Amino acid sequence: MTADGTKAPKACADAECGLFALAQSAELKAADGDTTPRLVADTPSLDPAKDEWDDDTPLYEARRKIYPQRVAGLYRRIKWAVLLVTLGIYYLTPFIRWDRGPSAPGQAVLIDLSNRRFYFFFIEIWPQEVYYLTGLLIIAAMTLFLMNALAGRIWCGYLCPQTVWTDLFQAIERFTEGDRREHLQRERGGWTAERVARLGAKHFLWLMVAWWTGGAWVLYFADAPTLVHDLATLRAPFVAYAWIGILTFTTYALAGHMREQVCLYMCPWPRIQAALTDEYALNVTYRYDRGEPRASVKKASALRAHGLPAGDCVECLQCVHVCPTGVDIRQGPNLGCIQCGLCIDACDAVMAKVGRPPRLIAYDTDLNIKRQAEGLAPEYRLVRVRTLLYLAIIAAVGGIMTFALLTRTAQSISVLHDRNPIFVRLSDGAIRNAYTVRIANKRPERREFTLSISGLAGALLDVVQTREDGRFVIEVGPDQTREIRVLVTDYADRPAGSTPVNFHLYDANSGERASAGDYFRAPEGG
Ligand code: SF4
Ligand code: SF4
């Protein structure tokens, strides 16, 4: 057994010697007097019906430390590219500037909690426009479902923050403590000054990355250059330091220490994903029709020479050694597999060395593997009812949000009818209703609005303290809201009950309008 608990070849002390040493060291099992080559590996059953539940199997398994080995290949390159882009976006976005005029913040992406605004480049979301957030959440959920329907847990394997930061922390670990073999050898060698220094360097770099991750997060909530200056001169608010501390700790703990444990035990998505997937979703899959029965290179040649079957898997365990969650994908689908594709890269490299075709492990479906085992052509069905449905929902919600954004106004009005009393009968017999009207000016300059009503012929409008030249002129400051008391008095002999009434806001300078509806309530007997 290796230090991480995986089964290692007997004579291959040097993991770098890899598959060839393994192939040479592995012994053929031969029956008494029988010189016919047999397979070394006990191939696990891939038939669930053959699996047996062992009553003695403990329900708790202690953590097995994982030492992922460096690997090169297509999927590794994709993961590096995704890591650079996503971390680049996260760390640098707060420093992007966006000119919104003199009285508005100049940061492109800003969550302005004190003024209850969210700025995203040219878009400014007000609290009453929280439905945009709802739309974004629906699109995000449907995109996740779509990814799952197309290629299983590719979100987990490439884009999930836990994966991205863990990948970065593992790269730092390999940089400071060496690749898998070197790291294991150093740990077996006990405590030395060099090991302590390397360990110290690793934790220092981890803490630096974690600290900058927490620091970048708070920059989304205030003007980034100003906050950086305030943080450096110890003049930033305490809450900023507190959040940086909390996020430094969580990043260091989750990406540095807990790693795959988060995916295996804490994250609900693997369970939800397993319930959402179907047989046509592409998953990282071991082609047991090609790989089994496993044999070393030499033995496979001998077996083939005797006309016996020999699979392409040479039992080198490279696919297991590169896996960030310690999964042996050859055992079949596994909840711990995050579909990162690194085992594909590892196995492709092995196949290239042994002169066998690549993609013994590949993004494929179990259905296709069965089909290929039966000599049928693989069948890919990326366009299915569920993928079309997810796409349709994304397109519909995206379309509605785009339309709403393009047609949104720079002012809004909302009306709230007084609850107590609902109406008042005046001494002259007229009925009066009172309302609270909230007007929002979403422009960065001061504006004047006039207010009027319709739907209640003959009724009089009175806006407390805002009359000007016989009109009700309401001044609202830049990027502000204003609440006003509005009285509507009706002298008509109106039947009891509710009559719809509309409130109209008008900006005479720009000609822009906004309206909101409510009801005028009258008592029995008018
Ligand atoms: S599947 Fe590929 S990488 Fe894994 S043990 Fe077999 S040959 Fe090696
Ligand atoms: S089994 Fe392969 S795809 Fe799955 S997590 Fe491990 S390396 Fe990634």
Side-chain angles (χ1 to χ4, degrees):
M1 300 285 278
T2 61
D4 62 341
T6 53
K7 201 172 149 190
K10 284 180 201 166
C12 191
D14 181 353
E16 290 296 317
C17 70
L19 62 133
F20 293 108
L22 180 73
Q24 283 154 15
S25 65
E27 291 178 356
L28 288 173
K29 291 175 185 167
D32 291 341
D34 182 0
T35 54
T36 307
R38 305 261 187 242
L39 301 179
V40 176
D42 291 330
T43 306
S45 163
L46 292 159
D47 180 358
K50 290 181 190 163
D51 291 344
E52 287 178 9
W53 176 257
D54 179 359
D55 282 343
D56 295 331
T57 305
L59 294 176
Y60 172 77
E61 186 188 9
R63 185 186 182 193
R64 209 163 32 88
K65 195 173 172 191
I66 294 166
Y67 303 79
Q69 186 172 289
R70 181 177 286 126
V71 64
L74 173 68
Y75 297 104
R76 182 61 268 183
R77 285 197 295 278
I78 293 174
K79 276 174 71 68
W80 282 135
V82 172
L83 183 145
L84 285 175
V85 171
T86 49
L87 291 185
I89 290 172
Y90 175 73
Y91 289 124
L92 299 179
T93 297
F95 295 99
I96 303 173
R97 304 289 92 191
W98 195 264
D99 186 8
R100 298 187 182 89
S103 54
Q107 186 157 313
V109 179
L110 178 70
I111 302 163
D112 187 354
L113 288 178
S114 53
N115 294 307
R116 299 191 298 162
R117 301 280 188 285
F118 172 55
Y119 297 94
F120 186 79
F121 294 91
F122 61 93
I123 301 170
E124 180 184 339
I125 305 291
W126 284 50
Q128 53 270 55
E129 294 171 325
V130 73
Y131 49 82
Y132 284 115
L133 189 63
T134 311
L136 274 179
L137 288 175
I138 294 172
I139 290 177
M142 289 302 131
T143 307
L144 199 58
F145 293 174
L146 179 63
M147 281 188 202
N148 176 43
L150 293 174
R153 290 174 65 186
I154 48 168
W155 160 263
C156 306
Y158 295 85
L159 287 160
C160 171
Q162 174 64 21
T163 297
V164 171
W165 265 283
T166 299
D167 222 7
L168 178 62
F169 275 51
Q170 284 175 345
I172 291 172
E173 186 172 74
R174 282 193 293 266
F175 173 69
T176 51
E177 297 207 74
D179 203 1
R180 176 188 164 81
R181 179 170 61 96
E182 198 184 333
H183 190 172
L184 283 167
Q185 277 176 350
R186 205 166 270 126
E187 283 199 354
R188 283 191 209 110
W191 288 103
T192 61
E194 187 197 352
R195 188 177 163 206
V196 170
R198 285 176 178 273
L199 209 60
K202 177 179 85 172
H203 287 283
F204 173 76
L205 290 175
W206 277 5
L207 279 168
M208 285 298 98
V209 173
W211 170 73
W212 187 240
T213 303
W217 176 254
V218 300
L219 299 183
Y220 284 89
F221 295 84
D223 181 65
T226 312
L227 185 56
V228 168
H229 178 265
D230 289 351
L231 285 167
T233 53
L234 301 179
R235 284 191 306 207
F238 171 76
V239 70
Y241 294 106
W243 273 109
I244 291 174
I246 291 168
L247 290 164
T248 301
F249 172 74
T250 50
T251 309
Y252 175 73
L254 295 177
H257 294 278
M258 296 176 72
R259 300 183 176 184
E260 81 289 347
Q261 307 265 36
V262 176
C263 313
L264 292 173
Y265 304 117
M266 290 169 69
C267 178
W269 177 236
R271 282 87 187 161
I272 300 168
Q273 183 272 342
L276 283 172
T277 195
D278 68 3
E279 67 272 35
Y280 294 107
L282 296 174
N283 285 305
V284 173
T285 315
Y286 168 66
R287 278 196 57 187
Y288 59 81
D289 63 313
R290 256 189 64 189
E292 306 297 321
R294 301 171 200 168
S296 65
V297 181
K298 223 168 142 184
K299 309 309 178 314
S301 307
L303 283 164
R304 289 186 190 111
H306 281 79
L308 289 169
D312 283 347
C313 176
V314 294
E315 191 73 306
C316 63
L317 295 179
Q318 296 297 299
C319 52
V320 184
H321 290 167
V322 300
C323 179
T325 57
V327 165
D328 183 350
I329 196 64
R330 300 170 304 162
Q331 305 288 348
N334 191 307
L335 211 61
C337 173
I338 57 169
Q339 308 285 330
C340 66
L342 295 183
C343 53
I344 302 178
D345 285 340
C347 193
D348 277 358
V350 174
M351 291 298 106
K353 284 179 188 167
V354 300
R356 304 296 296 172
R359 297 295 189 266
L360 175 57
I361 302 174
Y363 280 102
D364 212 326
T365 64
D366 281 340
L367 217 57
N368 274 340
I369 288 166
K370 284 193 193 100
R371 285 178 67 84
Q372 288 171 96
E374 291 162 9
L376 300 169
E379 190 181 69
Y380 296 100
R381 289 181 55 188
L382 296 181
V383 181
R384 315 193 290 283
V385 172
R386 68 173 64 203
T387 54
L388 290 176
L389 186 67
Y390 296 146
L391 272 175
I393 296 173
I394 292 169
V397 177
I400 292 168
M401 284 177 65
T402 308
F403 177 78
L405 271 175
L406 294 177
T407 56
R408 74 204 291 242
T409 57
Q411 62 284 320
S412 69
I413 176 172
S414 61
V415 181
L416 189 65
H417 197 293
D418 271 13
R419 292 277 168 229
N420 193 16
I422 291 178
F423 54 80
V424 173
R425 188 188 294 277
L426 302 183
S427 56
D428 59 3
I431 304 298
R432 173 175 286 170
N433 281 202
Y435 305 84
T436 300
V437 173
R438 180 184 282 267
I439 297 167
N441 169 20
K442 300 176 187 173
R443 289 248 163 80
E445 67 262 355
R446 183 171 294 278
R447 293 164 78 191
E448 285 183 351
F449 297 98
T450 57
L451 189 70
S452 60
I453 56 169
S454 67
L456 211 61
L460 289 181
L461 174 71
D462 188 14
V463 183
V464 180
Q465 293 178 340
T466 57
R467 185 182 289 273
E468 193 178 283
D469 301 332
R471 297 178 309 141
F472 299 107
V473 179
I474 303 142
E475 203 174 84
V476 186
D479 210 20
Q480 286 179 12
T481 58
R482 183 174 172 190
E483 238 176 46
I484 48 172
R485 289 277 295 158
V486 172
L487 306 174
V488 177
T489 310
D490 186 21
Y491 293 90
D493 190 11
R494 208 167 292 283
S498 301
T499 308
V501 56
N502 288 312
F503 293 78
H504 306 289
L505 196 66
Y506 179 58
D507 179 350
N509 290 325
S510 66
E512 289 170 293
R513 297 171 190 274
S515 296
D518 207 293
Y519 289 90
F520 185 87
R521 322 266 178 185
E524 289 288 338

